Amino acid sequence: MDQFLITGACRIAGEVKISGAKNAALPLLAAMMLADSPTTLHNVPSLQDVRTLIKLIAGMGIDIQKEGDTVTCDNSGIDSYFAPYDLVKTMRASILVLGPLLARYGEAEVSLPGGCAIGSRPVDQHLKAFEAMGASIIVENGYVKAKAPAGGRLIGCEHSFDMVTVGGTENVLIAAVLASGTTRLENCAREPEVVDLANMLVKMGAKIDGIGTANLTIEGVESLHGCEYSVVPDRIETGSYLAGALMTAGDVTTTHTSADLLHPVLKKFEAMGATVTHGGEGHDGWIRAQIAGRPKPVDIRTQPHPGFPTDMQAQLMAICCLADGSSTIIENIFENRYMHVPELKRLGANIKVDGHTAIVRGVDKFTAAPVMATDLRASMSLVMAAASADGESLIDRIYHIDRGYEDVESKLRGLGVTIERVKG
Ligand code: UD1
């Protein structure tokens, strides 16, 4: 297993180009399976999860290819509606192929994703909504076996999600666009990645009202055509590099990204004493965060968008570790998303966790240590903490980081971090 050797202390400063969002690219790739003619997707990040989903889709006989940051997809050769366990178990978002298979081809057999380090993460909300649209679903031998009603087409319905679920909203939205009649969905996720998906579906000919709100109304259409689309910038990657500036009295400008995507995070950066400036929009925007001296403590509570994102919780915690005072963090989305805490403590942090709440007492600085990356986004908190500490830190299990951050070493080097990949 590869490791990162990081030699600090570094001041994180400079300009970094942000990639397309992994969490938007995955549902967009799944949605490409709906089209009757070829679709082209630009700004797709080169990440393991993207490769996994492409492999899964290609395994069904679909001609899907990635060249540079562009993916093309032609569904005409599809000859299987099956998503095997060995691929699904490596990436939970594989469940997103269930919606398009069911809606466009009338049947699907998709492995249930297994457990996940940050929580149990069931898919009951996805299945419940498909059943409300007339699908018959059985779970057998670890697989979800789903069939559309007689006639092969899902039926529009009124459905309210029991909780806000990003993947659930995406899966059901993808299915509803080809259902017969109207589907009204309540309590939908409003994350920018859900909006991006809805926008691409509209470009393919779907009829969706209420985009960006919790209530979506979808007028089913008989078919969708291919289109050309570009994945929204990655707001979590953006926030993670900006967080590096706050931890090292640094000055980072992220480009090809937009402040509109991460206002809740930028507000916290400002509350911590950073000067945040931004300009432009969409893929042409930029954000700069700079800070002199130590950050101030803040309180954070993770919530569905437009609340503070759980995927930035660890990075904010790492900044709080260096703050001049005590911060309180409450994780509301996942039950076990504090695995980075023992690792941050190895780097000298003072954190106490009680259930969903973490109390962080700021220390002057981190101290170098060997640590282990835990989950995909949280791992960046360890990288930044190691960069800010004097001396050498070895970070193990960096495959987690590779899943979430494109070209992470070269981007970090460009920002002044001394980092080497140690091949394992
Ligand atoms: C997505 C993101 C992930 C992010 C999360 C929350 C992708 C690929 N991943 O994950 O990075 O951390 O949103 O913003 O986009 N739940 C159920 N039943 C369900 C579905 C969800 O109980 O059927 C629960 C989950 O266990 C969790 C909460 O709802 O506690 C939110 O999960 P969800 O929004 O679905 O997360 P993902 O889509 O898996």
Side-chain angles (χ1 to χ4, degrees), residues 172-417:
V172 176
L173 175 61
I174 289 174
V177 293
L178 281 183
S180 64
T182 305
T183 304
R184 287 197 182 82
L185 299 174
E186 286 177 16
N187 202 22
C188 296
R190 292 179 276 164
E191 268 64 5
E193 295 76 23
V194 178
V195 172
D196 206 38
L197 169 65
N199 287 338
M200 185 174 95
L201 290 170
V202 167
K203 227 177 163 192
M204 293 166 84
K207 294 185 178 156
I208 307 169
D209 262 356
I211 296 174
T213 75
N215 298 317
L216 295 172
T217 304
I218 304 116
E219 199 70 55
V221 294
E222 294 212 355
S223 64
L224 294 171
H225 50 78
C227 72
E228 205 163 337
Y229 195 77
S230 187
V231 181
V232 72
D234 196 315
R235 65 194 163 107
I236 305 302
E237 190 196 21
T238 305
S240 300
Y241 287 116
L242 295 174
L246 274 85
M247 291 172 65
T248 59
D251 181 353
V252 169
T253 301
T254 50
T255 66
H256 296 76
T257 186
S258 172
D260 292 344
L261 301 169
L262 69 162
H263 279 304
V265 175
L266 300 180
K267 272 193 211 138
K268 287 293 172 195
F269 287 163
E270 283 175 332
M272 294 177 111
T275 304
V276 177
T277 47
H278 54 84
E281 273 179 19
H283 299 90
D284 299 321
W286 58 270
I287 311 168
R288 178 178 183 186
Q290 46 190 145
I291 191 167
R294 247 175 121 173
K296 293 182 204 151
V298 284
D299 294 335
I300 296 154
R301 174 186 287 268
T302 65
Q303 307 226 271
H305 192 79
F308 189 88
T310 174
D311 286 357
M312 279 298 296
Q313 180 252 104
Q315 298 87 317
L316 259 285
M317 180 183 279
I319 309 173
C320 292
C321 288
L322 296 173
D324 191 7
S326 284
S327 306
T328 303
I329 297 177
I330 302 176
E331 171 59 52
N332 284 313
I333 309 290
F334 292 109
E335 66 257 37
N336 189 25
R337 210 171 196 180
Y338 283 136
M339 289 165 315
H340 45 282
V341 168
E343 304 301 320
L344 286 171
K345 281 177 152 176
R346 290 181 52 75
L347 293 161
N350 180 347
I351 308 166
K352 286 208 168 59
V353 174
D354 183 6
H356 286 220
T357 305
I359 308 285
V360 185
R361 293 198 172 81
V363 296
D364 281 343
K365 52 182 185 168
F366 283 113
T367 52
V371 289
M372 204 170 69
T374 51
D375 79 71
L376 183 153
R377 295 301 193 172
S379 308
M380 200 56 152
S381 66
L382 303 177
V383 169
M384 297 300 187
S388 77
D390 276 318
E392 287 189 345
S393 297
L394 197 60
I395 305 189
D396 206 354
R397 300 202 181 173
I398 57 165
Y399 58 87
H400 286 296
I401 304 175
D402 289 334
R403 278 185 62 197
Y405 294 89
E406 188 179 43
D407 289 338
V408 64
E409 297 130 270
S410 59
K411 289 189 185 188
L412 284 166
R413 273 194 208 114
L415 292 173
V417 177

Side-chain angles (χ1 to χ4, degrees), residues 22-23 26 93 121-126 163-167 310-311 333-334 337:
K22 173 185 84 73
N23 285 358
L26 299 176
R121 299 180 84 175
V123 292
D124 58 303
Q125 295 298 307
H126 306 227
M163 69 195 62
V164 179
T165 152
V166 174
T310 174
D311 286 357
I333 309 290
F334 292 109
R337 210 171 196 180

